[in-house]
C-alpha cells in the first residue's frame, strides 16, 4: 500500500510517499520562512496562498522523481488539524479532490499524532507504551501513549507553548524569524549563572506548563540591562561593547530555564506512569540541550529516550504519511472537506 501525504498546517508545505512494506519512499518540504520573515511571524493569508501555489507542483515532482503515477497510489493522507484553518483547507481540498478523481480513500490525520509517531520512521523504534513529550511551535504536551490512538494528555501548556516562548523571546532579543533556533545558537555563547530565570509551575504538583511568565522575566532582564533595538541593530546604554554578550547570557539563561522546566515535568510523568521509554517530538525536540538533558534523565531512571532525526522534527509530510498508513482503514471517499483548527489528540479512535 502506497500513501501520498500532504502537510499544510502552517508555514511548510510537506509532501511524502510512504509504502507499508518498503517504508518511506521520498519526501519534500518547502519552507515559507522567507515569505514571513519581514513580518516577524506567520501571516495566515500568505501561508494559505503559498500552499495553493506549491502543493500540486511538489506532488508532481515527487511522483515523477520516483517514476510513480496515480494508479500506484492507494490513499491520500492529509493534515486535517490542528493548525491554521486556511492552510488546512488548502491541503484538505487538494487531498479530497485528488482522492475523488483517482477513486481512492482520503485519510484525515491529526498533526500532533503525526509528530508523536515520527520516531517510528527511524530504524530504532520505541515500543508501546511510552510517555511522549510533544514540543512544537504551538503545543507543549506530555501524553501517555499505550498504543496508536490510545492517548491521555497528562499535562499541557496553559498559555504560551515552549516554541512560542522561544520565538517571542528571540524577537525581544532582536533575532530574525524564526527565532527559536537562532536563540539556541546564541545561547551557546552565553555564560552560565549570569541571569537567573524561574522554572514556572515546578513548585507545585502537576504536569501542566506555563511559559508566558518566563518570557516576561526575559523581557524584564532585557529592559533592565538597557538593551534597545533600533533599525535591527542592538545598542546598550551603559556598555555598548557588551551588548552581544549580554544577549547571549540572557539567551542561555532562558533556554536553561525552559529545558529544566520540561525535564522536571518529564521526570514526574515517568515516575507517575512507571514507563521506561520517553519519546520527544515536534520542532523544539531538535534542541540539543533539551535532548541531552532528557537523555541524562532517562539514563538515571534506567530507561531510554527516542526522537526523530532533525528533518522530521519540524513539520513534514513523512510523519503524516506514516500516521495515515496506520489509519488507512479509516479512509473515506466522502467529498466533505474536513479541517479542524482545534482538535484534541485524545479524541482520536484507538486502532
Amino acid at each position: 500500500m502506497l500513501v501520498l501525504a500532504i502537510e499544510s498546517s502552517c508555514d511548510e508545505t510537506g509532501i511524502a510517499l510512504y509504502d507499508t512494506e518498503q517504508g518511506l519512499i521520498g519526501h519534500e518540504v518547502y519552507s515559507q520562512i522567507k515569505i514571513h520573515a519581514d513580518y516577524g511571524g506567520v501571516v495566515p493569508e500568505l501561508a494559505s496562498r503559498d500552499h495553493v501555489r506549491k502543493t500540486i507542483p511538489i506532488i508532481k515532482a515527487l511522483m515523477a522523481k520516483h517514476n510513480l503515477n496515480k494508479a500506484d497510489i492507494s490513499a491520500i493522507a492529509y493534515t486535517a488539524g490542528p493548525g491554521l484553518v486556511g492552510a488546512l483547507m488548502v491541503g484538505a481540498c487538494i487531498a479530497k479532490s485528488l482522492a475523488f478523481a483517482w477513486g481512492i480513500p482520503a485519510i484525515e490525520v491529526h498533526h500532533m499524532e503525526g509528530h508523536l509517531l515520527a520516531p517510528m520512521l527511524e530504524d530504532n523504534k520505541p515500543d508501546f507504551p511510552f510517555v511522549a513529550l510533544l514540543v512544537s511551535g504551538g503545543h507543549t504536551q506530555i501524553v501517555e501513549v499505550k498504543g496508536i490512538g490510545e492517548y491521555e494528555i497528562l499535562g499541557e501548556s496553559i498559555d504560551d507553548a515552549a516554541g512560542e516562548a522561544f520565538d517571542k523571546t528571540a524577537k525581544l532579543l532582536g533575532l530574525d524569524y524564526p527565532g527559536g533556533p537562532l536563540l539556541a545558537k546564541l545561547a551557546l555563547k552565553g555564560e552560565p549563572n549570569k541571569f537567573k530565570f524561574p522554572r514556572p509551575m515546578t513548585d507545585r504538583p502537576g504536569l501542566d506548563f506555563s511559559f508566558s511568565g518566563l518570557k516576561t522575566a526575559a523581557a524584564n532582564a532585557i529592559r533592565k540591562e538597557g538593551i534597545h533595538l533600533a533599525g535591527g541593530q542592538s545598542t546598550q546604554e551603559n556598555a555598548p561593547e557588551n551588548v552581544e554578550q549580554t544577549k547571549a547570557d540572557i539567551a542561555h539563561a532562558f533556554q536553561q530555564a525552559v529545558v529544566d522546566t520540561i525535564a522536571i515535568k518529564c521526570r514526574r510523568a515517568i515516575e507517575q506512569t512507571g514507563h521506561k521509554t520517553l519519546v520527544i517530538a515536534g520542532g523544539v525536540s531538535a534542541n540539543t540541550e533539551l535532548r541531552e538533558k532528557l537523555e541524562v534523565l532517562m539514563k538515571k531512571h534506567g530507561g531510554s529516550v527516542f526522537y526523530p532525526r532533525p528533518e522530521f522534527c519540524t513539520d513534514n509530510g513523512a510523519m503524516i504519511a506514516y500516521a495515515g498508513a496506520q489509519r488507512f482503514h479509516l479512509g473515506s471517499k466522502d467529498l466533505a472537506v474536513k479541517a479542524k483548527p482545534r482538535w484534541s489528540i485524545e479524541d482520536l479512535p484507538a486502532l
Side-chain angles (χ1 to χ4, degrees), residues 142-164:
I142 295 180
V143 182
E144 183 178 18
V145 181
K146 296 180 179 179
I148 296 178
E150 298 181 75
Y151 309 132
E152 180 183 356
I153 297 175
L154 303 178
E156 59 188 334
S157 179
I158 62 175
D159 42 52
D160 285 352
E164 289 175 314

Side-chain angles (χ1 to χ4, degrees), residues 285-298:
S285 70
N287 184 282
T288 302
E289 289 295 319
L290 178 61
R291 289 190 177 199
E292 291 178 355
K293 185 84 172 183
L294 295 179
E295 285 177 352
V296 170
L297 168 69
M298 293 307 296

Side-chain angles (χ1 to χ4, degrees), residues 70-334:
K70 62 183 182 181
D72 298 310
I73 307 300
S74 306
I76 300 178
Y78 67 97
T79 303
L84 302 176
V85 66
L88 292 169
M89 286 293 290
V90 174
C93 286
I94 293 174
K96 287 286 188 176
S97 299
L98 289 177
F100 174 71
W102 295 351
I104 58 177
I107 309 164
E108 61 177 46
V109 174
H110 192 290
H111 181 74
M112 297 312 294
E113 182 175 52
H115 276 305
L116 188 153
L117 297 176
M120 301 298 183
L121 291 164
E122 306 298 337
D123 292 334
N124 185 26
K125 302 177 179 64
D127 294 323
F128 299 109
F130 55 77
V131 170
L133 168 68
L134 303 180
V135 274
S136 66
H139 296 82
T140 301
Q141 296 178 328
I142 295 180
V143 182
E144 183 178 18
V145 181
K146 296 180 179 179
I148 296 178
E150 298 181 75
Y151 309 132
E152 180 183 356
I153 297 175
L154 303 178
E156 59 188 334
S157 179
I158 62 175
D159 42 52
D160 285 352
E164 289 175 314
F166 262 98
D167 287 341
K168 290 178 180 179
T169 302
K171 190 172 184 178
L172 292 172
L173 288 169
L175 302 178
D176 291 334
Y177 169 83
L182 295 178
L183 186 149
K185 184 177 180 180
L186 180 62
L188 295 174
K189 302 177 182 178
E191 296 184 24
N193 304 318
K194 288 290 185 178
F195 294 89
K196 180 67 174 179
F197 293 145
R199 276 58 176 163
M201 296 183 70
T202 58
D203 59 347
R204 67 192 77 176
L207 297 174
D208 285 337
F209 299 90
S210 172
F211 292 109
S212 63
L214 177 56
K215 178 197 65 182
T216 301
N220 290 338
I222 292 168
R223 184 165 49 250
K224 184 178 180 181
E225 291 299 313
I227 297 174
H228 305 286
L229 301 173
Q233 299 296 316
S234 299
T235 62
Q236 189 170 354
E237 293 175 347
N238 299 325
E241 69 278 7
N242 293 328
V243 171
E244 293 306 312
Q245 185 58 53
T246 301
K247 290 168 63 177
D249 294 341
I250 292 173
H252 182 280
F254 173 83
Q255 176 175 257
Q256 200 59 55
V258 173
V259 169
D260 286 349
T261 299
I262 290 175
I264 290 170
K265 300 289 185 173
C266 286
R267 174 181 56 77
R268 291 180 183 177
I270 61 175
E271 290 175 350
Q272 176 179 316
T273 62
H275 299 322
K276 296 296 185 181
T277 301
L278 175 67
V279 166
I280 56 174
V284 183
S285 70
N287 184 282
T288 302
E289 289 295 319
L290 178 61
R291 289 190 177 199
E292 291 178 355
K293 185 84 172 183
L294 295 179
E295 285 177 352
V296 170
L297 168 69
M298 293 307 296
K299 187 175 182 180
K300 286 182 179 179
H301 284 76
S304 302
V305 60
F306 293 82
Y307 39 77
R309 71 192 78 166
E311 66 183 300
F312 294 152
C313 290
T314 54
D315 294 350
N316 63 88
M319 67 183 192
I320 302 304
Y322 180 85
Q326 308 314 304
R327 293 188 172 277
F328 175 79
H329 71 286
L330 296 177
S332 169
K333 293 185 180 181
D334 179 9

